Amino acid sequence: MSPETTIVAALVTPLIGAVGIALTGRLPNLRESVTLVTAGVLAVLVWSLVPQVMAGARPELLVTTMLGGLSIAFEIEPLGMLFGALAASLWIVNSIYSIGYMRGNDEKHQTRFYVCFAIAIFAALGVAFAGNLLTLFVFYEVLTISTYPLVSHKGDPATVRSARVYLGILLSTSIGLLLPAMIWTYAEAGTLDFTAGGILGDVAGPALGVLLGLYAFGIGKAALMPVHRWLPSAMVAPTPVSALLHAVAVVKAGVFTVLKVVVYVFGLDTLTEAGAQQWLVWVSGGTVVLASLIAMTKDNLKARLAYSTVSQLSYIVLGAALATASGVIGAAMHIATHAAGKITLFFCAGAIYTALHRTEVSELRGLGRTMPFTFAAFTVGAISIIGLPPFGGAWSKWFLTLGALEAGELFAVAVLMVSSLLNIVYLLQIPLLAFFRAPASGSVPEGVQEAPLPCLIAIGITSLLCVVLFFGADPLYELTRLLPSS
Amino acid sequence: MEFLALYNYWVFAVLLLIGLYAVVAKVNLVKRLIGLSIFQGAVFLLYISMDKVEGGTAPIFQTADGAGVFSNPLPQVLILTAIVVGIATTALGLAVVVRIREEYGTVEEDVIEDMDADS
Amino acid sequence: MNLDAHLPILQIIVPLMTAPVVSLLRVPSLPWAAATVTSGLAFAVAVTLTGQVLAGGPMSYALGGWVPPYGIELYVDHFSALLLLIITGASTVALAFGKASLDQEVGHERAPMFYAAWLLVVAGLCGIVATGDAFNLFVFLEISSLATYVLIASAPDRRALMATFRYLILGTVGATFYLIGVGLIYMMTGTLNLADMTDRIAEVGELRPVLVAAGFITVGLALKAAMFPLHAWMPNAYTFAPHAATAFLAACSTKAAIYVLIRFDLTVFLPHLSDHAEQVSGFFIPLAVLAFLIGSAVAVFERNLKRMLGYSSVAQIGYILLGLALLSPLALTGAIVHLFNHALMKSALFMAVACLAFRAGSVQLPDLAGCGRAMPLTMGAFVLAGLSMIGVPLTAGFVSKWYLILACLEYGPLGYVLAGGILVSSLLAVAYVWKVVEAAYFQPRPEGARELREAPPAMLAVLWLVALGNVWFGIDTDLTLGLAEQAAATLLGDGS
Amino acid sequence: MIFYPVVFALLVTMALAIVRAVKGPSLYDRVLAVNMFGTKTVLFLAVASYLMGRPDFLDLALAYALINSIGVMAVLQFFQSREFRRRYEHRHEAE
Amino acid sequence: MTLVFGVFLLTLLVIVAVAIVRSTNLFAAVMLSGIFSLLMAVNFFLLDAADVALTEAAVGAGVATVLFLSALALTAEHEQVRPGGAALQWLPLVVAFATGGLLIYATFQNPVIGDPNAPVHQHVAPWYLENTPELIDIPNVVTAVLGSFRGFDTLGEVFVVFTAGIGVLSILGLRHTLVEMTSAEIDARQRSLRHHLIPRVVGRGMVPFILLFALYVQFHGEYSPGGGFQAGAIAAAAIILYSLLEGDDRGRALVPEWLLQIMVASGALLFGGVGVVCMLLGGSFLDYSVLAEVPSEGQHLGLLLIELGVGITVSGVLLTVFHAFARRASR
Amino acid sequence: MGVVELISFVLMTAGGFCVFVGGVGVLRMPDLYTRMHAASVTDTAGLFLVATGLMLHAGWSLPLFKLVAILVFLLVTSPTAAYALANAAMLSGHPPAGVRDETVPSAGRDGETP
C-alpha cells in the first residue's frame, strides 16, 4: 500500500466503523466487535506509517484545492505521526474499557456513544495528519461537535448545561480567536500550509506576540487558563469519555495544535528572535501552578484529575513556549507520556465508580484492600505523571527541564519543580488514603470487588504502557527529535 | 410667475408626504391602501410635470409630417404603465383586505395584532 | 433564427409566456409539472447564457430592434448571469422539491394560479436582472412583487394574509421610491438606459435632484432588499408563506433588489458623484454591522424555525451589504459570492424546514423536539446547510466569509472591528443552529406529539442535492468565484 | 379669450363642489358633490380642449361622461348592499 | 394662463388629499379619492398628457372607485377612532416630512416646468418625435413609443395586470364563506338595482354606447388618445355597469368566468405571441417591422395586434376582479 | 370676432354663470334635497348652454358630433344620478330639512355631524 492510500484508509476506517456500529446497533455483541475490529485495523494502518516517517519520509495527500491556494491536504510529519499513533492505539484500549464500563453501568444510547466515539477518533486523526491550518481547523471543529453527544451523554438538565459550557467555550474560542488568527496569518503569509521553519518570518515582534496569543487562547482545547473552564465541565461525561477527552483526543488535539503552530507556523527561530513567546511562558507556567493548587482543593476525584490535566497540558504549552529544541522534544514526549498516565488514572476512577459507585476522594479511605489492582494501577499512573522513574513521565519532564535551562528560563524551572511537588501531594494522596488509612466504619464492602474484566484489562495495558514508555523510550525520542530539526 | 414654475414639483412633494403619512400612520387597512394610491398619484404628477414643453401640445401629430412643437411623449408612456401597476396593486391589496376581514372580522391593524399575539 | 443571440430574451419570456398557459390548466398536478419543466428550461437557458457570457463577454439584446437608448435593452454580464443562475436554479429545485408540500398547503383548486404566479416571480426576477433599462426594471420589479404577494397569500394560515398586506404596502412604497429616483434622474439626464445614464450623469452629477435620486433609489431598493432597519416585512412574509415557496423566495427575492442596488450605486452613481464612495461606506457600513449583529441575535431567541431563518437572512443581507460598502474588489467578490452561497444555504435550510413541517405540521421548535431520530436525513441536511451558514470551512458559507473578512482586514483599522463583528455574528449563528440541533437530537419527543417519519424520497433527494451543493461550492469555487471576480472587476472597473 | 369666463366659472364651481364633498355632512351630500364635480370636469375637459386648440381631445370628455354614471351606480349599489347588511346584522344581533 | 389653472387645480388636489387622509369615514374617503383622480386627470390634460388623462379618468375615477366600494361593502365603512387615535402621529409625520422636505429641497435645481431646454427634451425624446412619422407612421407618438419603441414595458405592464388578475382570483375566488340567507333576501340581493326602473333603463341604454366607445378607443388609439389599456378599462366598465344594474349573476352570464379566464390569458399570450412571431421571422423580440413587406406596415399590424392583446387582458382582468368582489358580496 | 363667435361667447358665459350659481347653491342650501335641486337644475342648464356654445365654435366637424354625444349622455345620466341619489337617501331614512316625520326611522343615521 502506498502511503497516500494508507492515509486515506486510516481516515476512512473510523468512518466505516461508525457506519457499521450504527447498523449493528441492535446487536450489542456484534457492535462491540465492529468497534474493536475497526480500532485494530486502524492501529495497524497507522503504525505501518511509523517506520517511513522515522526514516524521514513525509507522506502527503492533497484532497482538493479551494480558493486562493487554500486546500484540504494531509501531510504526516513526526509530531502528527506521534499523535496519530497515540490516538489509534489508545482507541483499542479505551474501547475494551468502554465495553466493561458501559455494560457495567447499564448506560443508555450505547450505539450513539460508540458512533460518536469513532467519529471523534476520525477527527483526531484528521487533526494529526492535517497538512495545513485550514484542514486542521475543520477536523478540530468536527472533534468538538462529535464529542458533544458524548459529554452530554447522561441527558439530564445539569449535564446538558455543562455540556453547553463545553461546547460554547470550545466553539467560541475557535471561531472567535483561532479563525481570526488563521485569517490574519493568511493575510500576512498568503498561505496556511505547515512549513518547516514557519511562515511568519516577516511579521514584526509585537504583532507576533498578539498573534501567538490568539492562537494560544483560540485553541481552547489546550485549556490554557482562563479558557480552561470547559474541561472541568466536561467531567459530567461517562468516564471512558473523560479518558478520551483528557488523554487521547480532545486535549491532546489542543496541545498538539499549539505545538504544531509554534513549530510549523511561527517557527522556533522566528519566535525566539522576536521574543514574542515570553509572555506565554509566564501564562502557561502560571496555569501549571494554579491548576495544581486548585486540584488540591477538589474532593471529587474526576474534578481533581481534570485540574491535574489542565496543569499537565500547560507543561506542553510551556514546552512549546520555551521554543528550544529540548523544550519541544519534551513537550512532544509529554503528549504521549501524559496520555498513558492520565488514561490510567481515569480508567481507575471509572473502575472505582463502576464497582463501588464512589466519586469523592474522601470516600476512598481504606478501599485499597477492596480494589487492590485498581489502586496499584492508580499509583503507577500517578507516579508517571509526577515524573519519577521508572515510568514514562520522567523522560518528558527531564527534557522539559532541559529545555527550560537551555532557554535560560529559571522561572520555568521553578515551575516544574514546584508543580512536581504539588503533584505528589494531590495525586499520591489518593492511593495513600486507600491503602494506609482505616476505612470509615461500615462503608467498606467485604472482600475483593473489582470492576468488570474488560476494565481491568484496559487498566493493565495502560499501566504497562507507562513502564514501557520509560524503558523503551528510544523510538519516541527518535521521533520527537526530528521535530526541532525539521 | 417665476415662483410658480416649480409649483408642480412642490405639489408632488406635498402629496407624497400626505400619502406616505397615511400609509405609515394609519391603522385601518383600507385607509392605508387609499394612502398608497395618493402616494403613487404623486409620482405620476412628477413624471407628467416634466413632459411639458412651453407652447407645445400633446404629442399626437395633426399633420402627416409631424410638424409643430410637442410635449415629451416618454414620461407619458411611463406613467401609463405606472397607472396600470398602481391599479393592479390596489386590486390585489383590496382582495387581501377582504380576506383579512373575513378571517379576523376587522380591518384595524392593531386589533389584528392583538389577535395574533393571543393565538 | 439564431437561438444563441436570443438567449437573453428567452430567459425572460420562457417563464413569462408559460404563466398564462399554466393559469388555464385544470388537471391536477399538471400546473405543477408545467411550471417545473418551464423552470427547468429557464435554468437551462441561464446555464447556456452563463456559458456564453463566460466565453464571449457581456451580451446585449435590443428589443424591437430599436437601438438603445431609444429602445429597451437587455444586458447580461457576469454579474447578471450569476443572478440568473441563482433565480432559475432556486426556482427549479424548490418546485421539484415542493410538490407534496405545496399540494398539502395550496391545494389543487388554487394550483393553476399559484404556479402561474410562481413562474411570474421567476420571470420578473429574471427581468430585473437582465434588463438594461431603469424603467423596465421597475415593471419587472412589480411583476415579481405582485406575484410574490400571491404566493405568500396562498398559505393556509390566516397570518399569511397580514404578512402579505404588510409586504404589499412596504414593497409598493419601496418600488415607488425607486420610481421617484428614476424619475428625478430621468429629469436631469433625459435617458432611462442604464449605460447611457451612467455617461450622461457625469454632466449633472453634482446637482441636487441627482443626489436626492440616489437617496431615493437606495432607500427604495433597501426596502425591497429587506435591509436593516427596513426589514420589518421580511421575517413574517417568510414565516407564513407556503414552505416550498419560502425556500424559493428566501433564496432569491431579496437578491434581485440587492443586485439592482449594487448596480446603481457602483456603476451609475459611484463614478460620477463626488463623495459618493464616502457616503456609501458611511451609510452602509454601520447598517450592515447592525444588520448582522441584530439579525443573528434576534434569531437566537426565536422559537419559530422559519422566522429564525428569516432573521438570519437579515443578517446575511448585512454581510452582503458590508461587501458592497467596503468598495474593494475583494469585498465585492465576497458579497457577490455570498449572494450565490446564501441562496444555496437558505434554500437548503428552508427545504429542510418544509420537510419537517410536512411531517410535524408545525415549525415551532418545541414541537420539533426529538425529530432528529425520526427524520435523520432531513435533519442531516439541515445541519449541513446550517454549518454552511455558520461559515465552517469546506462549505459554501466559508468561502464568502473568508473573502469578506480578508477584505475587512485590508480595509484598515476599522476593518479589524468589522471582522470582529462578522465573527461575533458567526458565533451567534452557531448558537441558533445549535439550538435546532439540540432540540432535534437531544430532546425527547414531547408527550402526545405527532408521530414522525422521514419525508418523502422525492423531497429528500432534492434537499440533499442542494445540501451537498453547499459542500460542492465550498470546495470547487471555480464557477462562483470566477463569475464573482469578473463581476466585481467590471463593477468597480472605472469606479475605484 | 372667449373661453376664459366659462373656465373660471367651472373652476370655481369645482372648488365649491369640493368644499361640499369635504364638509358632508351626510354621505349623500358627498355623492352629490362628486357627481356634480364629475359633470363639471366633463365640461372643463371639453372647454379646455378648445382652449388648447386640440378639439380632437373631446374624446376625454366623452369618455368621462360615459364613465361617470358607472361611479354613481356603484355608489347606489353600495348603499343598497349596506342597507342589506345592516338588516342582516341586525337580525343576527336580535337572535 | 393654463399655468394658473394648473396651480389652482393642483392646490385643490392638495386640499382633497388632506381631506382624504383626515376623513374617518371610509366611504367619504373613497368619494374624495374619486375627485382626487379626476383632478389628477384634468391636470394631466393641462400638461399635454391626453393619453394619461384618459387612463386616469377611466381607471382612477371609474374602476378604482368601483373596486374600493366593492371592498368597502365587504369590510367596514368607518375607521375606528381610538382615544388619541385622531391625533397626528409623530414618527410617521417626521418620516413623511423628511421625505417631502428632501424632495422640495431638490426641486430648486429642477428644470423649470415647460422649459424646452430641459435635459428631458434634449435626449431620446426628440428622437421619437422626429422618427415616428417615418418609422412607425402613426400620428400618436405616445402609442408609437408605448407599443413599439418601448413595447417591452407594455408587455410587462400587461403581465402586471395579468398577475393581479390571477392573484385576486387566487385570493378571493375560492373558499367561499357561505352566509345563510333567506330566499327573500337572496332575491332582494341578487336583483340588485333592478327595481330602480329609471337607472336601469338609462343604464341599459348606455351600455352599448360605452362598448362602442371602447371599440373606438381601441382601434383609434393610433390617431387619438387611447389604446388597448383605456379601451379595456372602458369596456370592462360597461360590463360592470350592466352587472350593477342587472345583478352580478346576469353579468356573469353575459361574460362567463371561463371566458374571462381565457381572455385574461389569451390577451397576454397574444401580445407575447406577436413578439415571438417577430423572432421567428428573423427580427428581435417585438420587432414588428418584419411582420409585413414594408416595415411601417409591419409596425401598424404589430401595434394593432398588441393593443388588442392589451385590451383583452385588461378588460378580462378588471372584470375578473370585479366579479371576485361581487360574488363575495352575494354569497 | 365674428357673430358666431360672439353668440358662442355669450352662451358659454351664460352657461358658466349657471354652473357657478349651481355651485353656490350646493354650498349654501340647507339640506340634501334642496342642494340636489340646485345642482341638477343649474347643471342641466349650464351644460346645455356651454355645450351649445362649443358646438357653435366647432362648426360642422367631427368634434361637433362628439359634443352632441357628450351633451346627450350628460343630459340623460345626470338626472338619473340625481334620481337614484334622492331615492337612496330617502329610502335609507335621510330626512329633508325641517321635516320631522316620525315615520321615517332612525333619522340622520348616515349623518356625520361636522
Side-chain angles (χ1 to χ4, degrees):
Chain A
M1 230 195 293
S2 73
E4 285 76 21
T5 333
T6 316
I7 296 177
V8 174
L11 285 169
V12 170
T13 306
L15 284 183
I16 296 175
V19 174
I21 293 164
L23 290 178
T24 54
R26 297 268 169 75
L27 308 163
N29 287 331
L30 189 56
R31 180 185 68 202
E32 262 79 302
S33 317
V34 171
T35 309
L36 287 174
V37 169
T38 316
V41 171
L42 180 65
V44 171
L45 284 170
V46 173
W47 279 98
S48 74
L49 285 166
V50 173
Q52 303 173 29
V53 175
M54 287 185 75
R58 297 286 179 270
E60 283 181 55
L61 175 68
L62 179 69
V63 179
T64 174
T65 306
M66 301 191 299
L67 54 152
L70 293 181
S71 60
I72 295 296
F74 298 100
E75 182 187 2
I76 305 180
E77 42 65 65
L79 190 59
M81 192 66 250
L82 170 66
F83 180 42
L86 190 69
S89 321
L90 288 182
W91 189 25
I92 307 177
V93 187
N94 203 325
S95 299
I96 297 172
Y97 181 82
S98 299
I99 294 165
Y101 182 91
M102 296 304 275
R103 293 191 176 184
N105 286 310
D106 213 6
E107 296 272 353
K108 291 181 200 139
H109 305 310
Q110 292 200 14
T111 307
R112 184 176 85 189
F113 176 87
Y114 287 111
V115 169
C116 290
F117 220 115
I119 296 175
I121 294 294
F122 158 72
L125 280 181
V127 170
F129 293 168
N132 56 40
L133 254 178
L134 183 72
T135 314
L136 194 149
F137 181 76
V138 173
F139 284 100
Y140 182 95
E141 297 296 9
V142 173
L143 185 57
T144 308
I145 291 171
S146 63
T147 46
Y148 173 85
L150 296 174
V151 175
S152 70
H153 189 86
K154 221 187 270 173
D156 58 323
T159 311
V160 171
R161 214 175 307 126
S162 297
R164 275 200 196 139
V165 172
Y166 170 79
L167 190 76
I169 291 180
L170 286 187
L171 280 184
S172 57
T173 51
S174 66
I175 293 179
L177 299 171
L178 178 54
L179 192 58
M182 283 166 57
I183 295 168
W184 188 353
T185 308
Y186 181 80
E188 294 288 355
T191 176
L192 287 178
D193 290 348
F194 291 128
T195 312
I199 54 178
L200 286 170
D202 308 332
V203 185
L208 214 55
V210 176
L211 191 53
L212 183 63
L214 284 177
Y215 277 115
F217 292 111
I219 302 167
K221 291 197 170 91
L224 203 60
M225 275 183 181
V227 292
H228 69 289
R229 277 287 309 137
W230 62 272
L231 228 176
S233 289
M235 282 305 121
V236 295
T239 310
V241 174
S242 305
L244 170 86
L245 296 176
H246 289 239
V248 187
V250 178
V251 294
K252 290 293 142 61
V255 288
F256 167 79
T257 310
V258 171
L259 214 52
K260 195 128 179 178
V261 165
V262 166
V263 176
Y264 292 104
V265 173
F266 286 92
L268 297 179
D269 296 340
T270 317
L271 268 186
T272 37
E273 274 166 33
Q277 86 290 10
Q278 189 60 45
W279 65 270
L280 190 57
V281 174
W282 290 83
V283 172
S284 54
T287 305
V288 169
V289 177
L290 212 57
S292 300
L293 288 172
I294 295 175
M296 288 172 69
T297 68
K298 294 289 173 187
D299 191 35
N300 183 297
L301 180 52
K302 283 175 76 177
R304 184 177 289 195
L305 293 181
Y307 276 100
S308 155
T309 307
V310 174
S311 153
Q312 298 291 318
L313 290 178
S314 282
Y315 277 30
I316 300 170
V317 178
L318 182 66
L322 291 171
T324 57
S326 302
V328 170
I329 293 174
M333 284 175 97
H334 201 64
I335 290 182
T337 55
H338 171 250
K342 196 43 82 52
I343 201 169
T344 310
L345 293 183
F346 270 107
F347 280 175
C348 291
I352 295 166
Y353 175 73
T354 313
L356 303 173
H357 292 279
R358 305 233 170 148
T359 54
E360 305 303 305
V361 173
S362 51
E363 291 173 348
L364 301 180
R365 208 168 282 182
L367 289 177
R369 247 150 292 167
T370 319
M371 303 182 73
F373 181 77
T374 307
F375 278 102
F378 195 101
T379 316
V380 171
I383 295 176
S384 176
I385 296 224
I386 291 161
L388 296 176
F391 301 109
W395 289 123
S396 48
K397 281 221 173 148
W398 169 265
F399 277 105
L400 280 173
T401 319
L402 215 58
L405 290 171
E406 267 175 31
E409 289 281 359
L410 289 179
F411 169 74
V413 179
V415 163
L416 290 169
M417 297 285 124
V418 170
S419 85
S420 293
L421 288 176
L422 291 172
N423 282 346
I424 294 175
V425 174
Y426 68 79
L427 280 180
L428 270 186
Q429 181 200 14
I430 297 164
L432 290 179
L433 269 180
F435 282 122
F436 300 113
R437 282 296 188 83
S441 55
S443 65
V444 178
E446 291 296 314
V448 176
Q449 201 173 344
E450 285 281 6
L453 187 62
C455 293
L456 296 183
I457 296 174
I459 293 172
I461 294 172
T462 54
S463 348
L464 201 60
L465 195 60
C466 291
V467 182
V468 169
L469 279 176
F470 181 78
F471 292 107
D474 198 41
L476 185 63
Y477 174 68
E478 288 299 322
L479 197 61
T480 48
R481 202 173 51 88
L482 295 171
L483 255 185
S485 60
S486 62
Chain B
M1 282 313 189
E2 254 326 287
F3 75 98
L4 289 178
L6 291 170
Y7 192 74
N8 286 42
Y9 297 124
W10 300 342
V11 172
F12 148 67
V14 171
L15 288 181
L16 195 82
L17 180 161
I18 295 169
L20 194 59
Y21 174 78
V23 169
V24 181
K26 292 292 168 182
V27 201
N28 185 296
L29 302 184
V30 179
K31 200 60 176 288
R32 292 178 78 175
L33 281 177
I34 295 176
L36 200 63
S37 48
I38 295 178
F39 182 67
Q40 291 175 315
V43 183
F44 305 161
L45 191 63
L46 166 72
Y47 274 75
I48 297 299
S49 296
M50 65 177 90
D51 82 345
K52 177 77 181 167
V53 175
E54 196 64 56
T57 172
I60 300 173
F61 300 139
Q62 290 161 302
T63 54
D65 60 349
V69 181
F70 295 102
S71 290
N72 191 338
L74 189 51
Q76 304 186 13
V77 173
L78 305 183
I79 287 315
L80 273 176
T81 306
I83 290 177
V84 179
V85 170
I87 184 76
T89 312
T90 307
L92 206 57
L94 283 175
V96 174
V97 170
V98 167
R99 288 277 293 123
I100 288 177
R101 158 84 186 189
E102 283 176 3
E103 296 284 346
Y104 290 88
T106 177
V107 289
E108 305 289 319
E109 189 169 4
D110 48 353
V111 182
I112 295 172
E113 264 167 17
D114 290 346
M115 290 165 82
D116 274 346
D118 294 342
S119 62
Chain C
M1 186 172 77
N2 176 14
L3 261 185
D4 285 354
H6 287 292
L7 279 175
I9 185 68
L10 283 177
Q11 181 71 80
I12 299 171
I13 59 171
V14 164
L16 194 69
M17 297 274 293
T18 322
V21 179
V22 169
S23 79
L24 291 176
L25 300 174
R26 285 293 177 272
V27 185
S29 296
L30 199 55
W32 171 79
T36 311
V37 170
T38 310
S39 179
L41 211 57
F43 183 59
V45 172
V47 170
T48 326
L49 196 53
T50 310
Q52 284 207 8
V53 169
L54 280 173
M59 293 180 74
S60 169
Y61 186 87
L63 281 154
W66 307 115
V67 283
Y70 309 111
I72 294 172
E73 177 195 18
L74 299 182
Y75 183 79
V76 179
D77 61 4
H78 295 87
F79 192 13
S80 8
L82 185 71
L83 264 285
L84 291 174
L85 282 178
I86 297 175
I87 294 162
T88 52
S91 155
T92 310
V93 292
L95 276 171
F97 163 84
K99 168 117 181 25
S101 172
L102 289 172
D103 279 352
Q104 195 185 44
E105 285 181 279
V106 177
H108 286 300
E109 203 182 354
R110 214 184 255 182
M113 312 301 159
F114 180 82
Y115 291 109
W118 186 301
L119 287 178
L120 286 167
V121 176
V122 177
L125 293 175
C126 288
I128 292 174
V129 172
T131 188
D133 186 281
F135 188 82
N136 194 240
L137 201 155
F138 167 77
V139 173
F140 280 106
L141 193 65
E142 285 294 344
I143 294 184
S144 70
S145 308
L146 288 184
T148 308
Y149 309 148
V150 178
L151 291 191
I152 298 173
S154 300
D157 193 321
R158 70 176 183 177
R159 281 170 292 180
L161 292 168
M162 215 41 226
T164 310
F165 187 82
R166 293 213 180 100
Y167 186 14
L168 185 140
I169 292 283
L170 288 177
T172 310
V173 170
T176 310
F177 266 48
Y178 172 80
L179 194 57
I180 294 169
V182 169
L184 290 173
I185 294 183
Y186 172 68
M187 181 162 71
M188 303 313 286
T189 63
T191 184
L192 291 167
N193 183 288
L194 285 175
D196 195 28
M197 201 180 266
T198 309
D199 297 339
R200 295 183 59 88
I201 220 165
E203 299 162 23
V204 291
E206 300 311 312
L207 290 176
R208 283 187 213 154
V210 178
L211 300 177
V212 171
F216 268 87
I217 289 179
T218 305
V219 172
L221 291 172
L223 246 176
K224 278 285 190 191
M227 194 180 104
F228 186 87
L230 303 173
H231 64 280
W233 59 268
M234 195 252 262
N236 267 356
Y238 283 5
T239 305
F240 297 117
H243 304 306
T246 310
F248 167 46
L249 295 175
C252 55
S253 72
T254 54
K255 305 291 187 308
I258 294 173
Y259 165 87
V260 183
L261 193 66
I262 293 178
R263 261 270 134 88
F264 258 97
D265 269 328
L266 293 187
T267 59
V268 180
F269 298 135
L270 191 62
H272 302 299
L273 304 188
S274 60
D275 298 343
H276 191 69
E278 287 77 13
Q279 282 162 6
V280 165
S281 303
F283 181 65
F284 281 136
I285 289 181
L287 287 183
V289 173
L290 284 176
F292 57 66
L293 290 182
I294 295 181
S296 300
V298 175
V300 171
F301 294 102
E302 197 50 73
R303 285 154 64 92
N304 182 314
L305 208 47
K306 284 178 88 179
R307 196 181 279 129
M308 171 197 284
L309 294 178
Y311 277 107
S312 134
S313 283
V314 173
Q316 306 290 325
I317 291 165
Y319 294 139
I320 298 171
L321 280 175
L322 184 65
L324 160 68
L326 293 179
L327 290 176
S328 67
L330 204 56
L332 203 57
T333 308
I336 294 171
V337 166
H338 201 55
L339 283 174
F340 183 89
N341 291 342
H342 177 235
L344 212 54
M345 58 182 96
K346 265 296 145 54
S347 98
L349 285 170
F350 274 115
M351 278 187 210
V353 173
C355 287
L356 294 174
F358 183 71
R359 288 296 188 212
S362 164
V363 289
Q364 297 290 338
L365 216 42
D367 296 337
L368 294 173
C371 61
R373 248 152 286 157
M375 305 176 73
L377 290 172
T378 306
M379 277 315 293
F382 185 95
V383 172
L384 200 55
L387 291 176
S388 180
M389 195 162 64
I390 296 166
V392 174
L394 286 189
T395 58
F398 172 73
V399 179
S400 28
K401 273 197 189 151
W402 180 262
Y403 268 81
L404 280 177
I405 292 183
L406 282 184
C408 284
L409 295 182
E410 204 184 64
Y411 189 69
L414 177 63
Y416 291 94
V417 181
L418 296 175
I422 294 179
L423 289 163
V424 171
S425 167
S426 303
L427 277 179
L428 291 169
V430 173
Y432 60 75
V433 170
W434 187 256
K435 223 172 69 165
V436 181
V437 170
E438 200 184 283
Y441 287 109
F442 302 110
Q443 285 175 13
R445 268 319 266 154
E447 290 292 317
R450 201 193 281 193
E451 201 57 40
L452 294 181
R453 62 206 163 86
E454 192 50 270
M459 291 168 88
L460 282 178
V462 183
L463 170 60
W464 269 93
L465 183 75
V466 182
L468 290 177
N470 273 296
V471 178
W472 176 270
F473 287 107
I475 295 171
D476 176 15
T477 50
D478 287 351
L479 172 74
T480 48
L481 274 180
L483 283 171
E485 274 166 0
Q486 268 291 343
T490 325
L491 284 169
L492 290 172
D494 44 357
S496 57
Chain D
M1 283 305 111
I2 63 167
F3 298 109
Y4 283 147
V6 66
V7 169
F8 279 125
L10 285 170
L11 285 176
V12 171
T13 315
M14 282 159 96
L16 294 176
I18 287 174
V19 173
R20 179 45 74 199
V22 173
K23 269 175 74 176
S26 76
L27 298 183
Y28 304 100
D29 288 293
R30 296 179 200 276
V31 179
L32 174 69
V34 170
N35 189 32
M36 182 171 151
F37 188 86
T39 52
K40 297 302 159 304
T41 311
V42 174
L43 285 182
F44 182 83
L45 288 175
V47 177
S49 56
Y50 275 94
L51 183 69
M52 297 167 73
R54 298 296 298 258
D56 46 335
F57 291 168
L58 278 173
D59 287 359
L60 269 81
L62 185 56
Y64 193 65
L66 289 166
I67 285 173
N68 194 20
S69 59
I70 297 169
V72 179
M73 293 302 161
V75 171
L76 204 57
Q77 164 85 4
F78 173 75
F79 283 141
Q80 198 166 347
S81 68
R82 190 179 58 159
E83 251 343 273
F84 173 82
R85 196 175 63 218
R86 276 194 185 153
R87 252 179 281 155
Y88 178 79
E89 278 165 9
H90 188 69
R91 200 187 56 163
H92 266 250
E93 278 162 24
E95 276 165 10
Chain E
M1 229 22 207
T2 34
L3 184 63
V4 181
F5 298 156
V7 168
F8 183 77
L9 288 166
L10 287 168
T11 314
L12 288 185
L13 205 54
V14 173
I15 294 169
V16 173
V18 172
I20 292 173
V21 175
R22 285 188 52 81
S23 156
T24 54
N25 184 309
L26 292 173
F27 178 81
V30 171
M31 288 290 99
L32 285 171
S33 57
I35 292 183
F36 182 83
S37 285
L38 272 185
L39 278 171
M40 263 308 184
V42 175
N43 272 307
F44 293 161
F45 185 68
L46 290 180
L47 289 165
D48 290 345
D51 281 273
V52 184
L54 182 56
T55 314
E56 179 70 28
V59 172
V63 178
T65 309
V66 174
L67 287 186
F68 267 112
L69 286 177
S70 315
L72 273 194
L74 294 170
T75 55
E77 198 177 308
H78 286 271
E79 222 179 317
Q80 269 177 31
V81 183
R82 295 166 185 74
L88 288 173
Q89 299 193 18
W90 287 109
L91 183 65
L93 204 65
V94 169
V95 171
F97 265 98
T99 316
L102 195 62
L103 282 168
I104 291 179
Y105 161 81
T107 57
F108 292 105
Q109 288 181 340
N110 282 11
V112 169
I113 289 170
D115 178 6
N117 293 320
V120 228
H121 305 307
Q122 302 305 315
H123 187 52
V124 180
W127 187 88
Y128 293 136
L129 290 168
E130 280 162 27
N131 291 292
T132 298
E134 182 203 337
L135 293 174
I136 317 279
D137 192 24
I138 59 170
N140 191 342
V141 186
V142 175
T143 305
V145 177
L146 185 83
S148 189
F149 297 122
R150 295 188 68 91
F152 196 50
D153 269 352
T154 312
L155 178 72
E157 167 197 326
V158 171
F159 274 91
V160 170
V161 176
F162 171 78
T163 313
I166 61 164
V168 171
L169 207 58
S170 165
I171 293 169
L172 280 188
L174 307 147
R175 280 204 285 170
H176 320 287
T177 45
L178 289 165
V179 180
E180 296 166 49
M181 276 189 255
T182 65
S183 58
E185 277 169 337
I186 291 173
D187 199 38
R189 182 69 171 209
Q190 297 287 7
R191 276 165 66 206
S192 185
L193 298 175
R194 255 186 281 174
H195 56 278
H196 289 276
L197 187 64
I198 297 175
R200 192 177 156 206
V201 170
V202 172
R204 285 187 66 163
M206 286 186 59
V207 169
F209 286 103
I210 302 180
L211 283 174
L212 196 66
F213 185 67
L215 286 179
Y216 165 78
V217 172
Q218 169 81 52
F219 293 108
H220 207 252
E222 295 170 12
Y223 308 97
S224 63
F229 185 71
Q230 294 91 333
I234 294 171
I239 309 290
I240 289 175
L241 179 61
Y242 182 80
S243 300
L244 287 172
L245 292 169
E246 297 290 324
D248 187 48
D249 47 344
R250 292 208 183 176
R252 277 211 302 276
L254 186 69
V255 190
E257 268 178 69
W258 59 266
L259 182 62
L260 279 181
Q261 288 201 17
I262 290 178
M263 278 170 70
V264 169
S266 61
L269 284 176
L270 176 61
F271 197 148
V274 171
V276 174
V277 168
C278 295
M279 266 165 74
L280 295 175
L281 290 176
S284 328
F285 188 70
L286 296 177
D287 182 359
Y288 317 126
S289 303
V290 294
L291 291 176
E293 295 289 315
V294 184
S296 69
E297 276 174 22
Q299 293 287 345
H300 277 274
L301 181 61
L303 284 176
L304 187 76
L305 288 173
I306 63 137
E307 290 277 16
L308 196 62
V310 175
I312 292 174
T313 294
V314 167
S315 59
V317 165
L318 290 179
L319 279 176
T320 308
V321 172
F322 172 76
H323 282 320
F325 282 106
R327 186 174 41 195
R328 270 285 201 279
S330 64
R331 296 269 167 158
Chain F
M1 198 187 275
V3 179
V4 179
E5 291 281 274
L6 189 67
I7 299 172
S8 158
F9 172 74
V10 171
L11 284 176
M12 282 196 290
T13 310
F17 179 73
C18 285
V19 166
F20 174 70
V21 168
V24 173
V26 165
L27 195 64
R28 299 287 304 153
M29 286 293 184
D31 77 337
L32 176 69
Y33 300 97
T34 45
R35 282 177 209 142
M36 215 177 264
H37 177 72
S40 37
V41 172
T42 57
D43 240 22
T44 317
L47 174 67
F48 200 82
L49 290 170
V50 174
T52 320
L54 283 177
M55 281 179 212
L56 286 178
H57 191 80
W60 285 104
S61 61
L62 181 66
L64 178 70
F65 292 101
K66 287 184 186 168
L67 280 169
V68 173
I70 292 172
L71 180 61
V72 171
F73 283 131
L74 280 187
L75 279 182
V76 173
T77 55
S78 178
T80 313
Y83 155 80
L85 186 60
N87 194 321
M90 203 63 198
L91 279 180
S92 69
H94 195 86
V99 176
R100 288 284 174 268
D101 187 346
E102 299 302 314
T103 60
V104 179
S106 57
R109 198 165 47 182
D110 294 321
E112 285 175 89
T113 35

